[in-house]
Amino acid sequence: MLNLSSAHYENRKLENHVENRTVHTLKNAELNIFETHLQASQVYLRFPQPVLASMIKGKKVMHLDGSPSFGFLPGESVILPSNEKMVIDFPEASVHNPTQCLALALSEEKLQEAVDLLNNRGTKQNGLEWSVMDYNYHFTNDVAINQILQRLIFIFTENHPSKDIFSDLLIQELVIRILQTETKSMYRKKSLTDANNDRISYIIKFIRENLTEDLSIDILSEKAYMSESNFYRTFKHELGSSPNDFIIEERLKVAESLLRNPRMSVKEAYLASGFNSFSYFCRIFKKKKNLSPTEFKEKSNIFG
């Protein structure tokens, strides 16, 4: 999860208890930190630029035009277009447990630069060019996105003469990773409803249906009717992860789901999720979840 830097607390002023705003401005972006210390509802917010909003602490309920309302929790983000009206509820905020959220306002120019960089490295497998992500895209931050946001909090709040350069590079990476995360999400959905429409969706469906089998690159590329090198390059370019990393993600999802079942043992979850080494399973699970499979299971059974 994200944490605010000590520099933020040293320089911010609490002028009100609902959506108290601290602003850090650089050449091509603006970092807004919002803190709410009282329960509130129907709070309006709008930015003139596209915004990445990411929860740090507490809970919000977001009401956006044209989208169903949703709970907004730590570790989650949403992309909003310029001038999007947000209506926000704060059901749990208190003086001792404030709700905290960041809003990273980005220039249209910087968004387009990241898109152009992706297109210079290759279009999508269907020949379409990359474009600015769909707005109102709500997602859970992966480890890489979380690390970039944490680094940006530090850069915006530090006193360094080159922080404009540092932030530009990080924002470019952030936008590319979000685009690839969005594309991965799209392919996952298509694999459930329209898997035969494109090769990547078909391969994702094949992976999900055969997680306990050997899923080597040569098998997957043959199923996709592509050369191994072209398949690997296309998959990684569009989804932001290698086929092997994606397979591990899917196996971990299965293991996590099974471990939530109080009748399922850790060993049974390991065998059913397709890992071929118990020690590797335990090691990769702890790396991704910050808990061992046993610890995760115990915690899930207590709070689930």
Side-chain angles (χ1 to χ4, degrees):
M1 297 300 175
L2 296 173
N3 294 292
L4 295 177
S5 66
S6 58
H8 164 77
Y9 288 107
E10 290 168 4
N11 296 308
R12 69 98 146 92
K13 295 180 180 178
L14 288 176
E15 297 178 347
N16 59 72
H17 285 92
V18 178
E19 285 293 68
N20 186 82
R21 181 185 183 191
T22 305
V23 183
H24 306 276
T25 304
L26 295 179
K27 182 179 178 181
N28 295 303
E30 178 184 270
L31 180 68
N32 300 266
I33 303 294
F34 291 96
E35 298 176 79
T36 301
H37 293 74
L38 294 175
Q39 291 183 15
S41 61
Q42 300 292 293
V43 177
Y44 290 82
L45 190 62
R46 190 193 303 264
F47 286 90
Q49 308 91 7
V51 167
L52 168 70
S54 190
M55 282 296 291
I56 299 172
K57 183 179 179 183
K59 177 183 178 180
K60 292 183 179 182
V61 178
M62 299 283 282
H63 311 278
L64 306 175
D65 288 342
S67 301
S69 300
F70 60 90
F72 199 24
L73 301 172
E76 297 178 353
S77 295
V78 63
I79 300 290
L80 302 169
S82 58
N83 295 309
E84 170 88 355
K85 184 178 76 172
M86 293 172 265
V87 182
I88 309 168
D89 302 333
F90 300 87
E92 300 177 355
S94 69
V95 172
H96 299 294
N97 190 31
T99 297
Q100 297 173 333
C101 179
L102 69 80
L104 181 65
L106 305 167
S107 70
E108 297 277 4
E109 179 185 2
K110 282 297 159 187
L111 287 174
Q112 192 58 50
E113 281 182 10
V115 171
D116 291 343
L117 182 61
L118 268 177
N119 279 316
N120 289 337
R121 299 193 63 178
T123 58
K124 295 186 176 184
Q125 51 129 5
N126 52 16
L128 296 176
E129 290 194 338
W130 291 87
S131 59
V132 175
M133 70 282 290
D134 285 340
Y135 289 115
N136 292 3
Y137 172 49
H138 176 213
F139 62 96
T140 300
N141 302 339
D142 63 17
V143 172
I145 289 175
N146 225 51
Q147 288 176 343
I148 294 171
L149 290 173
Q150 190 67 66
R151 178 68 177 157
L152 282 170
I153 291 172
F154 175 79
I155 288 171
F156 270 89
T157 55
E158 76 168 334
N159 184 20
H160 195 289
S162 299
K163 62 183 187 178
D164 275 300
I165 298 172
F166 300 153
S167 67
D168 280 355
L169 293 171
L170 278 172
I171 287 169
Q172 188 174 74
E173 180 184 353
L174 176 65
V175 172
I176 289 173
R177 286 187 180 274
I178 291 173
L179 283 167
Q180 291 172 328
T181 299
E182 181 188 25
T183 300
K184 185 187 294 186
S185 176
M186 179 196 72
Y187 278 129
R188 279 184 167 131
K189 290 176 182 176
K190 286 179 68 178
S191 72
L192 299 173
T193 59
D194 195 19
N196 295 323
N197 191 48
D198 65 80
R199 299 180 189 189
I200 299 297
S201 297
Y202 175 76
I203 291 302
I204 288 175
K205 180 182 179 183
F206 180 81
I207 288 171
R208 282 174 161 168
E209 292 177 347
N210 295 274
L211 278 177
T212 58
E213 305 297 325
D214 175 29
L215 294 171
S216 60
I217 294 296
D218 61 324
I219 291 173
L220 296 178
S221 60
E222 182 179 349
K223 290 288 182 181
Y225 295 97
M226 301 168 72
S227 69
E228 290 185 26
S229 59
N230 189 32
F231 169 73
Y232 185 92
R233 183 172 58 251
T234 299
F235 195 100
K236 191 168 185 178
H237 178 61
E238 294 209 33
L239 278 67
S241 59
S242 69
N244 188 56
D245 287 342
F246 181 83
I247 290 166
I248 291 171
E249 284 181 36
E250 293 299 309
R251 285 174 171 161
L252 285 173
K253 283 183 180 179
V254 171
E256 182 178 341
S257 176
L258 294 174
L259 288 170
R260 293 183 188 278
N261 183 345
R263 294 185 296 275
M264 181 75 67
S265 70
V266 171
K267 186 175 181 180
E268 287 172 325
Y270 147 70
L271 291 171
S273 56
F275 289 94
N276 56 17
S277 164
F278 185 68
S279 60
Y280 177 74
F281 164 67
C282 293
R283 186 167 68 251
I284 199 70
F285 192 98
K286 185 163 188 176
K287 181 180 178 181
K288 298 291 185 180
K289 302 295 181 183
N290 293 319
L291 293 169
S292 71
T294 300
E295 291 168 339
F296 180 88
K297 182 172 180 60
E298 290 173 351
K299 187 173 181 180
S300 297
N301 290 339
I302 290 172
F303 298 105

